[in-house]
């Protein structure tokens, strides 16, 4: 028998989980389909920005999240040359409550949000449920999904299908919407080592370490340090030939407190390769279907905002969609779904343009083995007040619309 619900969200990443939570909170019946059987993922966008923490605070979630899940707090973003450390963004004036990026593993953050969603009677999550096809009604409007779970095919009809299934979105591939690649200049290889109680805290949780021929990202999370080695796109083969000793030497030289721990890196196969491809989709919606997060626009790790853009898409989508979904008005649902791109498209495109510029610059630095920091970074890191200004400017792209009364005010809580 084919089941029917208000909304099917495909993909339990930050965008899909937050959207499902917000809709369920407002009394919408929502089924979240996640292909994996758990949320145990490493090396994802883990940096939750001050405006997103402020947004979660409105639901009483931010404080509990920060009190219960080990995380790092990055009050600054720094650029370290061999000679000098420049603070290029200073978030300390950005929010009265949360003047920092919280570096929280998605593996802990997502189950936390799902548990909150489960308190609402309209929410259901299906883990290990892999979306395979879109269903259409007689007029060609998307009308549900087909998915496979434990070897069994299911059909689920819905007033709206949301594709939140990330950078390789199957929902996008199954639709008639078209993606375009904007850039692919660099790849990043990630490695993680444990964090110990005596490690540096405060400044330096989020840093870019540079020297001729190397650009390395450093992220201090709750119980690990993530180290990201940047390569020109497609050069992982060369790294494999060169081996990991040059990378380990760099870490020992530049972050001596990690020296002994990096011995755990013995061969390139231990690195997790993330090819950085920035893409956008011409239209994020069509009748009965909406794409959010990386499914609609792949944000690169430059700036660490993929998680934030996905969650802000969810916040905007929930505001626009709740009322039409509760009324079950297909025409109004489609109008609201197309409004998400109208509200978010320009901010996303602006971020992607900045990322393309930065990535080209990084690729050039790697190829030319440039020493030191480029002039704008030296100026930004030396003139008092500029780092705070730069933080405020970059956070403008992360404005989160306040939740509508329909989401804040209703309670469909079951406990
Ligand atoms: C391997 C990897 C490493 C990354 N590293 C970084 C980083 O270091 N820094 C950074 O800022 N950003 C990084 N990102 C990007 C960042 O994680 C994303 O921008 C952010 O998570 C986007 O959230 P999302 O909700 O749109 O999609 P995602 O977080 O990608 O979530 C999509 C979800 O959909 C599920 N899914 C996929 N296909 C199906 C299907 N057919 N049926 C059902 N479910 C499906 C997936 O299992 C996943 O849980 C990385 C992304 C990836 C994939």
């Amino acid at each position: 028998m084919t089941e029917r619900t208000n909304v099917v969200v495909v993909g339990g990443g930050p965008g899909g989980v937050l959207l499902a939570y917000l809709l369920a909170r407002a009394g919408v019946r929502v089924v979240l389909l996640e292909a994996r059987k758990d949320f145990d993922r490493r090396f994802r966008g883990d940096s939750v920005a001050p405006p997103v923490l402020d947004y979660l605070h409105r639901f009483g979630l931010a404080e509990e999240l920060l009190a219960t899940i080990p995380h790092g707090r990055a009050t600054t973003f720094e650029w370290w040359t061999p000679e000098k450390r420049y603070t290029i963004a200073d978030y300390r004036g950005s929010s009265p409550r949360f003047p920092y990026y919280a570096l929280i593993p998605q593996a802990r953050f997502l189950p936390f949000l799902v548990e909150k969603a489960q308190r609402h009677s309209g929410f259901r999550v299906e883990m290990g449920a892999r979306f395979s096809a879109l269903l259409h009604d007689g007029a060609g409007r998307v009308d549900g999904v087909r998915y496979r779970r434990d070897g069994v095919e299911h059909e689920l009809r819905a007033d709206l299908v949301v594709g939140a299934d990330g950078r390789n979105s199957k929902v996008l591939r199954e639709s008639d919407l078209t993606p375009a690649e904007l850039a692919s200049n660099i790849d990043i290889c990630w490695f993680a080592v444990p964090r110990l109680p005596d490690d540096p805290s405060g400044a330096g949780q989020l840093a870019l370490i540079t020297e001729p021929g190397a650009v390395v990202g450093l992220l201090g999370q709750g119980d690990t340090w993530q180290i990201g080695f940047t390569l020109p796109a497609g050069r992982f083969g060369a790294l494999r030939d060169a081996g990991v000793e040059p990378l380990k030497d760099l870490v020992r030289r530049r972050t001596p407190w990690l020296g002994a721990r990096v011995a755990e890196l013995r061969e390139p196969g231990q690195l997790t390769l993330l090819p950085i491809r920035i893409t956008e989709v011409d239209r994020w919606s069509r009748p009965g279907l909406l794409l959010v997060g990386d499914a609609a626009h792949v944000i690169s790790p430059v700036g660490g905002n993929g998680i934030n853009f996905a969650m802000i898409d969810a916040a905007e989508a929930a505001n626009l969609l709740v009322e039409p979904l509760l009324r079950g008005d297909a025409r109004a649902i489609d109008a609201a779904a197309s409004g998400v791109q109208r509200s978010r498209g320009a901010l996303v495109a602006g971020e992607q343009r900045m990322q393309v510029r930065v990535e080209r610059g990084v690729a050039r630095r790697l190829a030319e083995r440039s020493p030191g920091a480029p002039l704008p970074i030296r100026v930004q890191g030396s003139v008092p007040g500029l780092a705070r200004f730069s933080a405020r400017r970059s956070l403008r792209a992360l404005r989160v619309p306040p939740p509508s009364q329909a989401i804040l005010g209703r309670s469909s809580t079951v406990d």
Side-chain angles (χ1 to χ4, degrees):
M1 205 174 72
T2 304
E3 196 191 340
R4 180 150 207 115
T5 186
N6 293 137
V7 179
V8 180
V9 176
V10 179
V17 170
L18 181 65
L19 179 59
Y21 164 77
L22 295 170
L23 294 178
R25 211 188 132 87
V28 173
R29 281 182 306 129
V30 47
V31 178
L32 176 65
L33 303 179
E34 167 53 44
R36 296 177 54 116
K37 293 207 161 155
D38 56 42
F39 291 105
D40 200 7
R41 48 181 70 188
R42 290 181 91 192
F43 305 119
R44 297 298 170 94
D46 293 336
S47 36
V48 184
V52 175
L53 291 169
D54 279 324
Y55 180 79
L56 295 175
H57 163 77
R58 305 186 75 138
F59 302 99
L61 297 179
E63 288 79 356
E64 189 184 334
L65 181 71
L66 298 174
T68 54
I69 300 182
H71 62 280
R73 293 184 179 186
T75 51
T76 57
F77 177 46
E78 304 194 353
W79 183 301
W80 298 352
T81 69
E83 296 76 36
K84 192 166 173 185
R85 295 183 174 189
Y86 297 93
T87 297
I88 52 177
D90 182 341
Y91 303 106
R92 280 172 292 191
S94 61
S95 154
R97 284 192 190 83
F98 310 107
Y100 47 80
Y101 268 79
L103 306 174
I104 306 176
Q106 284 196 15
R108 305 288 302 274
F109 179 48
L110 296 173
F112 170 90
L113 263 186
V114 166
E115 191 268 324
K116 300 297 171 202
Q118 273 163 337
R119 297 181 182 192
H120 300 280
S121 49
F123 175 82
R124 193 175 95 218
V125 60
E126 300 249 1
M127 300 300 291
R130 184 169 290 279
F131 162 88
S132 55
L134 292 170
L135 304 174
H136 298 85
D137 66 13
R141 184 176 188 276
V142 172
D143 182 40
V145 297
R146 187 168 296 134
Y147 67 96
R148 176 174 276 269
R149 188 179 183 201
D150 296 330
V152 179
E153 285 282 341
H154 299 264
E155 282 190 3
L156 181 54
R157 300 272 167 185
D159 302 337
L160 180 69
V161 174
V162 179
D165 52 339
R167 49 174 29 213
N168 300 312
S169 172
K170 169 88 170 158
V171 176
L172 169 62
R173 290 202 305 278
E174 290 293 308
S175 74
D176 55 1
L177 303 170
T178 31
E181 186 162 293
L182 299 179
S184 59
N185 294 297
I186 54 171
D187 296 340
I188 302 184
C189 291
W190 287 105
F191 187 65
V193 296
R195 183 181 186 130
L196 302 180
D198 289 340
D199 285 348
S201 55
Q205 307 303 295
L206 208 50
L208 213 53
I209 304 171
T210 61
E211 53 184 55
V215 176
V216 177
L218 181 69
L219 273 92
Q221 289 189 327
D223 39 22
T224 53
W225 289 95
Q226 289 192 7
I227 307 165
F229 303 98
T230 310
L231 312 170
R235 294 293 301 281
F236 189 65
L239 186 152
R240 217 172 12 226
D241 295 343
V244 292
E245 279 314 313
L247 308 183
K248 289 162 73 169
D249 281 350
L250 185 147
V251 173
R252 286 191 200 106
R253 243 186 356 262
R254 303 296 300 280
T255 54
W257 73 94
L258 297 179
R261 277 166 264 170
V262 89
E264 292 170 24
L265 177 58
R266 281 178 295 276
E267 35 131 350
Q270 288 172 273
L271 296 164
T272 298
L273 175 66
L274 175 65
I276 308 298
R277 308 284 175 265
I278 305 179
T279 60
E280 64 172 359
V281 178
D282 55 350
R283 281 173 46 223
W284 300 6
S285 67
R286 53 156 296 166
L289 176 67
L290 170 66
L291 302 176
V292 296
D294 275 8
H297 48 70
V298 179
I299 299 282
S300 96
V302 169
N305 282 324
I307 181 170
N308 297 306
F309 274 88
M311 291 175 72
I312 302 170
D313 285 356
E316 185 72 55
N319 274 359
L320 293 169
L321 283 163
V322 161
E323 290 296 352
L325 282 167
L326 289 174
R327 289 203 312 274
D329 176 344
R331 204 184 271 253
I333 292 169
D334 292 343
S338 64
V340 178
Q341 185 178 11
R342 271 199 301 284
S343 307
R344 306 271 313 123
L347 286 171
V348 169
E351 181 79 3
Q352 290 185 316
R353 278 198 299 276
M354 177 280 288
Q355 293 188 323
V356 171
R357 275 198 310 277
V358 170
E359 287 181 11
R360 282 199 190 120
V362 169
R364 220 173 18 249
R365 290 186 70 75
L366 288 171
E368 293 169 359
R369 302 181 61 78
S370 317
L375 181 64
I377 296 294
R378 295 202 305 271
V379 172
Q380 209 166 308
S382 309
V383 176
L386 265 192
R388 284 202 180 207
F389 172 75
S390 146
R392 274 202 303 277
R393 198 184 49 187
S394 67
L395 292 178
R396 257 188 250 143
L398 300 177
R399 283 190 308 269
V400 194
S404 67
Q405 269 314 311
I407 296 170
L408 259 189
R410 295 179 83 110
S411 178
S412 58
T413 307
V414 284
D415 44 277

